């Protein structure tokens, strides 16, 4: 076989390993974003098991970056040890990514029950800045641009609404496009129309979908890598031999 063909396969190996870095970056950022959202909205979730996909995604991202670096080095140097280590890392990445994707898919189908405590947090709203529940509710409504669990009418059933004696919802429900909004319920068009449960589910489903789709992408990239390394091994047996010169 010609040296030109060998260089071609090594170039494919180099480019595919760079793709591993990109995939690792996306998977890692997805895991970090999921952890960030869970930390900010921990009061709204019944348990912390949903953090597992994020942790596995971060571990998978670390192995993806390490595999990309090792594969790039392998494309410049012939070594049996590096080749074995590279294949081992690829297998580890595939196992981690498949597990993370499976857990992410499982939790994405259970978000309704995962966010079950949301109604209770809204019911315990006091309006006090010293109350962590109230701060969490206001911050969520402002950030996600939502009002109530399903819509603004959920506030009419809360003890806070009845105790205040005012026909107003929290100011965090006010749509930012209406500066004069004071939260009064007789002007509902000035309030955010969607409830926070739908917005939370959309936010978490988006980041979970990134982790879910990371698995087939990693699988396709690894297929290319395995075929490339196998071709180099078959066509160039000396690829496995250390250069003793």
């Amino acid at each position: 076989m010609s040296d030109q063909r060998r260089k071609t396969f090594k170039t494919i190996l180099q480019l595919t390993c760079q793709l591993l870095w990109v995939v690792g970056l996306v998977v890692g950022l997805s895991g970090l974003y999921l952890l960030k959202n869970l930390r900010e909205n921990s009061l709204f979730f019944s348990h912390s098991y949903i953090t597992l996909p994020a942790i596995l995604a971060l571990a998978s991202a670390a192995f993806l970056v390490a595999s990309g670096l090792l594969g790039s080095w392998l494309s410049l140097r012939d070594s049996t040890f590096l080749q074995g280590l590279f294949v081992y890392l690829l297998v580890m990445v595939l196992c981690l990514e498949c597990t993370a994707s499976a857990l992410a898919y499982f939790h994405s189908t259970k978000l309704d029950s995962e966010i079950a405590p949301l109604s209770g947090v809204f019911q315990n709203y006091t309006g006090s800045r010293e109350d962590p529940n109230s701060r969490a509710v206001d911050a969520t409504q402002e950030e996600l641009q939502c009002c109530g669990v399903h819509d603004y009418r959920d506030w009419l059933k809360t003890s806070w609404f009845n105790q205040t004696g005012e026909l107003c919802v929290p100011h965090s429900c006010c749509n930012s496009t209406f500066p004069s909004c004071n939260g009064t319920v007789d002007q509902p068009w000035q309030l955010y129309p969607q409830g926070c449960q739908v917005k939370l589910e959309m936010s978490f489903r988006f980041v979970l979908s990134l982790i879910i789709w990371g698995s087939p992408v990693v699988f396709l990239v690894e297929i290319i890598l395995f075929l490339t390394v196998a071709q180099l091994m078959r066509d160039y047996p000396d690829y496995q031999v250390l250069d003793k010169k």
Side-chain angles (χ1 to χ4, degrees):
M1 300 293 177
S2 65
D3 290 339
Q4 184 62 36
R5 183 176 177 182
R6 179 171 184 170
K7 290 180 180 179
T8 300
F9 280 114
K10 286 199 170 188
T11 301
I12 294 174
L13 179 61
Q14 176 73 31
L15 294 175
T16 310
C17 286
Q18 292 177 3
L19 184 58
L20 279 181
W21 298 342
V22 176
V23 176
L25 180 63
V26 173
V27 172
L29 289 177
S30 300
L32 285 175
Y33 183 66
L34 179 57
L35 284 177
K36 174 180 173 293
N37 277 5
L38 287 171
R39 182 179 179 181
E40 294 176 349
N41 302 286
S42 59
L43 291 173
F44 305 143
F45 286 86
S46 56
H47 51 69
S48 59
Y49 297 146
I50 196 173
T51 59
L52 290 176
I55 295 172
L56 289 174
L58 290 174
S60 177
F63 275 97
L64 279 167
V65 174
S67 300
L69 291 171
L70 184 60
S72 298
W73 190 16
L74 188 61
S75 67
L76 303 174
R77 179 179 178 182
D78 299 343
S79 170
T80 304
F81 172 74
L82 292 180
Q83 176 193 331
L85 183 59
F86 181 61
V87 173
Y88 173 76
L89 287 177
L90 291 180
V91 173
M92 287 292 295
V93 165
L94 189 59
C95 292
L96 286 170
E97 190 60 36
C98 287
T99 305
S101 295
L103 288 173
Y105 176 77
F106 172 78
H107 286 292
S108 68
T109 61
K110 301 290 184 180
L111 279 177
D112 286 343
S113 58
E114 295 276 0
I115 311 179
L118 184 65
S119 298
V121 176
F122 274 73
Q123 284 292 336
N124 294 328
Y125 183 85
T126 63
S128 173
R129 287 294 178 181
E130 298 178 358
D131 179 23
N133 282 19
S134 299
R135 290 201 307 268
V137 169
D138 286 330
T140 300
Q141 292 191 145
E142 290 175 356
E143 181 180 350
L144 298 182
Q145 298 185 345
C146 56
C147 183
V149 179
H150 301 99
D151 56 36
Y152 78 93
R153 286 171 291 188
D154 293 321
W155 283 108
L156 309 183
K157 307 171 187 176
T158 63
S159 57
W160 171 84
F161 182 85
N162 295 326
Q163 289 173 1
T164 56
E166 300 177 1
L167 298 178
C168 294
V169 297
H171 193 268
S172 55
C173 276
C174 288
N175 193 317
S176 57
T177 57
F178 297 98
S180 61
C181 173
N182 58 7
T184 180
V185 294
D186 60 359
Q187 294 178 326
W189 60 88
Q190 294 187 353
L191 307 176
Y192 291 122
Q194 284 188 302
C196 292
Q197 181 163 345
V198 173
K199 287 294 190 78
L200 275 174
E201 289 181 6
M202 289 173 58
S203 175
F204 279 94
R205 277 205 174 93
F206 170 73
V207 66
L208 287 172
S209 67
L210 293 179
I211 298 177
I212 292 170
W213 284 104
S215 182
V217 172
V218 169
F219 177 76
L220 292 175
V221 173
E222 290 199 3
I223 288 295
I224 297 173
L225 288 171
F226 280 128
L227 291 176
T228 303
V229 173
Q231 188 67 36
L232 286 168
M233 291 172 59
R234 183 172 64 249
D235 293 346
Y236 309 101
D238 59 327
Y239 182 73
Q240 305 178 52
V241 180
L242 289 170
D243 188 0
K244 299 182 180 179
K245 295 183 180 181

